[in-house]
Amino acid sequence: MPVGRDAARWRTRGTTRTVLFVVHNVTSATRLLDVLPLFDDAPDVQTLATCTGSSPFLAGVDALLDRAGLPVVPWEQAKELAATGGVDLAVSASYGGELQAFQGKLTILSHGAGYNKRLATPDTGHRTPDTGAEGEGEGGGGAPVFGMAPDWLLHEGKPLATATVLSHPEQLDRLRRACPEAAETAVLAGDPCFDRMLALRHRRPALRRALGAGDGRRLVVLNSTWGRASLFGSDAFPALLRELTETLPVDEYRLCAVLHPNIGYGHGPGQVRAWLRRAAASGLTPIDPLGPWRQTVAAADCVIGDHGSVTYYAVALGLPVLLGTFAERDLDPDSPVASLGRAAPRLRPGVPLRTQLDAVIDGHVPGRYDGFAALASSDPGGSAGLLRTLFHSLLATPEPVRPAALPQLPVPGTAPGEARLGTPDLTVPLRVLTRVVTDGSAGGPPEVVVTRYADPATEPVGPEAEKAEGAHTVVDEAASDAGRLALADLVTDRGLAADPPGPRAAELLAAHPYAALAAVRTGPGRCLARDRAGTLLDLVALPRPDGFPDPGDPFAYASAALAWQASGRPLAELAAAGVLMVTTGRVRHRVAVRAVPA
């Protein structure tokens, strides 16, 4: 069901048209699922999916199609259906597989920001890229441009596709030069992936709050395509990852990673998690490639990327980018992505990463990348209508009455059962620099500046270090390296157990005799801190001036209390003041302080 022998006997609806989504791998499947809703409200259309089996990256396809709820037809049966007239329209977002089985009924979509990369020519049996040198899967400067050359577009001298969907006229110009026979099938219909990102612009504040960057942190997104020439595949990547997580103050920068699906499904999700585990413990959040990667990019303050489509989408949204690497030889020099490589700033070895990030963010001029935005789509926001009209014209069925629309992408963490992202727990030791700005004697609340770093290899340097009056080390009791607890000045407990916080803080101090303070998290933005004299302080972030909850880490407030005590002032004075101002970078947090009976 719903196709095959005796299918008509068992079907409930007598549909008259069958649309088959031809999936090559997870990457192409995500683009096909973007357009699947365009067949909503079409009661005469039955949608199916099949997988060509021709990709080196087959992991994850079955689970993705199962989640989509599409009936999945085995590849051999799909070809048989096409041969016997059982497929009215096949839609693919790749040229992988024996697509000649659907010649005359095939629509091809791009699965990235247009056609930019050079890939080795497909073999004649399965139209799959050769592995290339050292398994890179890239073709280099001598290879044809994927999706533009006759090797991909023609079978026995005739176009494979009935409709070759392009997102911009510049692609049509290149297609006419490269393969005029296929240019006759070209249809300009915009970019549905980009349109869904454009629709997120008005939700940027909500997206940033959901991603833990709603308190003034700078959201930095590390992005990589796949292959040895990518940022993730470069020899410089491990050092970049260490600098990203060790030298940026954790309360001033929110770090996320958006990696091409072929990285995780090629090496194994567990292996990629292992490579990123230390960085994740230091505050980097890897975003599921089937999850809110578009929302994360749309919310970013800066994207550190390479020659992949996601980096291009970022500039098309008007965002600052830094290129960590860029494989010019693997690109069509006439493509927009190649032009981006000639225009965007690149990471400079030897210059502190923080200096470069702040410069590209602070110096970004709105409209700088408008030219690239103009090349992203022939009709920004209009791909849904164009594609739906195309599909129904090919099917010879009437379009639904209601206007075509692509579903809005949700704010992360708001879908039923979806885990919230927010600010990650830091499970590595933290080196904290502090400075007591005012003790409140001149009026106003006391104020302490706190700058925290995730387990730096050396003592932090920079303006904060020059101004700092004190420094201490914070270690969570659940830290993977239990030996570091002996170095802790402040021991923390994330409050995962149901233990009462007061006794638990006392227990922490008893277990770690060199620590001056213990803090137990008691809720969002809230913790209970205890010193060795038995003073207990309830520290809770007050709402921000805009009325939203302060998403700051309560252990930063505990560090401020420790700095206060280390300056020779008793904790009881903080309780008497009632409010403590804690400054982290550009943000001042108002923290209510209340003494709790021991």
Side-chain angles (χ1 to χ4, degrees):
M1 281 289 293
V3 293
R5 294 185 182 91
D6 292 332
R9 176 183 176 188
W10 305 110
R11 286 185 300 197
T12 298
R13 281 203 59 81
T15 54
T16 61
R17 298 290 187 273
T18 299
V19 175
L20 179 69
F21 288 94
V22 182
V23 174
H24 186 57
N25 53 26
V26 164
T27 309
S28 65
T30 55
R31 176 55 57 90
L32 295 176
L33 294 181
D34 272 343
V35 303
L36 177 61
L38 298 181
F39 294 96
D40 290 355
D41 297 326
D44 292 333
V45 175
Q46 170 69 57
T47 53
L48 310 170
T50 189
C51 180
T52 64
S54 60
S55 173
F57 304 101
L58 288 177
V61 171
D62 290 345
L64 179 59
L65 293 179
D66 183 63
R67 193 169 77 181
L70 285 174
V72 178
V73 178
W75 178 238
E76 293 302 321
Q77 184 185 4
K79 292 191 293 181
E80 181 183 336
L81 279 172
T84 57
V87 174
D88 298 290
L89 174 64
V91 184
S92 177
S94 173
Y95 284 93
E98 300 166 273
L99 296 183
Q100 60 269 25
F102 307 97
Q103 196 165 12
K105 303 176 181 179
L106 180 65
T107 295
I108 298 285
L109 309 176
S110 167
H111 67 256
Y115 294 99
N116 308 287
K117 289 187 178 181
R118 296 184 182 275
L119 287 177
T121 55
D123 66 44
T124 56
H126 295 89
R127 306 190 59 80
T128 300
D130 294 336
T131 55
E134 301 180 9
E136 294 179 16
E138 305 284 344
V145 178
F146 175 75
M148 287 282 169
D151 303 290
W152 299 101
L153 300 171
L154 305 181
H155 177 67
E156 297 179 349
K158 297 180 180 180
L160 270 175
T162 306
T164 302
V165 177
L166 305 177
S167 57
H168 194 276
E170 71 82 19
Q171 295 162 28
L172 180 55
D173 292 339
R174 288 190 286 134
L175 183 60
R176 284 172 174 153
R177 295 195 298 269
C179 186
E181 302 92 332
E184 298 174 1
T185 70
V187 177
L188 291 173
D191 184 330
C193 179
F194 183 56
D195 281 356
R196 298 187 82 187
M197 298 179 80
L198 282 175
L200 293 168
R201 289 181 297 183
H202 71 285
R203 309 183 82 180
R204 184 174 163 90
L207 293 174
R208 292 178 61 79
R209 287 193 300 272
L211 290 162
D215 59 349
R217 298 176 203 231
R218 291 186 153 174
L219 175 57
V220 178
V221 176
L222 189 65
N223 166 244
S224 177
T225 188
W226 69 282
R228 291 293 302 277
S230 70
L231 180 57
F232 191 87
S234 70
D235 293 337
F237 183 78
L240 172 62
L241 195 62
R242 285 194 299 272
E243 188 174 8
L244 193 69
T245 54
E246 292 181 12
T247 67
L248 301 181
V250 298
D251 299 301
E252 299 177 42
Y253 297 85
R254 176 73 172 97
L255 309 176
C256 293
V258 172
L259 305 179
H260 193 286
N262 286 359
I263 296 174
Y265 291 118
H267 292 282
Q271 177 63 76
V272 175
R273 283 195 298 271
W275 283 331
L276 298 179
R277 186 164 289 126
R278 187 70 181 185
S282 300
L284 176 77
T285 299
I287 302 298
D288 187 335
L290 302 181
W293 68 266
R294 284 174 282 203
Q295 296 94 313
T296 303
V297 172
D301 290 295
C302 182
V303 172
I304 301 176
D306 55 20
H307 58 287
S309 292
V310 173
T311 304
Y312 190 88
Y313 282 140
V315 299
L317 292 172
L319 301 175
V321 299
L322 271 173
L323 299 177
T325 186
F326 202 84
E328 292 95 340
R329 68 181 299 272
D330 290 336
L331 298 172
D332 180 352
D334 294 330
S335 68
V337 173
S339 298
L340 173 63
R342 297 187 287 268
R346 303 200 182 197
L347 283 173
R348 292 170 290 162
V351 179
L353 177 60
R354 185 179 179 185
T355 300
Q356 297 186 65
L357 279 172
D358 287 347
V360 76
I361 295 172
D362 293 335
H364 183 64
V365 178
R368 173 180 179 179
Y369 294 125
D370 282 357
F372 295 106
L375 293 173
S377 173
S378 60
D379 190 351
S383 65
L386 294 169
L387 286 170
R388 193 178 72 173
T389 296
L390 170 66
F391 293 148
H392 281 279
S393 67
L394 294 173
L395 290 169
T397 54
E399 276 196 74
V401 175
R402 294 184 181 88
L406 299 170
Q408 281 206 58
L409 294 164
V411 173
T414 59
E418 183 185 16
R420 293 187 63 84
L421 290 175
T423 305
D425 286 321
L426 301 166
T427 56
V428 296
L430 302 177
R431 188 60 175 165
V432 184
L433 307 180
T434 60
R435 176 167 54 94
V436 178
V437 177
T438 174
D439 60 6
S441 59
E447 183 172 354
V448 180
V449 175
V450 174
T451 309
R452 304 189 301 164
Y453 296 87
D455 199 18
T458 59
E459 191 68 16
V461 296
E464 293 90 351
E466 295 173 2
K467 297 177 182 178
E469 298 170 348
H472 60 262
T473 298
V474 180
V475 185
D476 193 87
E477 205 191 35
S480 58
D481 186 358
R484 302 290 292 277
L485 282 162
L487 305 175
D489 303 293
L490 168 60
V491 178
T492 62
D493 182 326
R494 287 172 284 156
L496 301 179
D499 299 326
R504 176 62 178 141
E507 184 179 68
L508 288 173
L509 289 175
H512 307 289
Y514 298 106
L517 200 70
V520 179
R521 186 169 60 191
T522 55
R526 188 170 196 164
C527 71
L528 189 72
R530 182 180 187 125
D531 68 3
R532 292 204 168 271
T535 304
L536 280 169
L537 293 183
D538 180 35
L539 304 171
V540 54
L542 295 171
R544 304 183 320 194
D546 59 11
F548 286 101
D550 189 320
D553 183 353
F555 294 144
Y557 314 147
S559 281
L562 179 57
W564 178 270
Q565 186 185 64
S567 68
R569 303 171 176 92
L571 292 183
E573 288 186 11
L574 287 181
V579 174
L580 169 66
M581 302 301 297
V582 180
T583 298
T584 57
R586 302 168 182 81
V587 180
R588 299 178 77 210
H589 308 267
R590 295 175 65 247
V591 181
V593 184
R594 181 175 63 91
V596 177

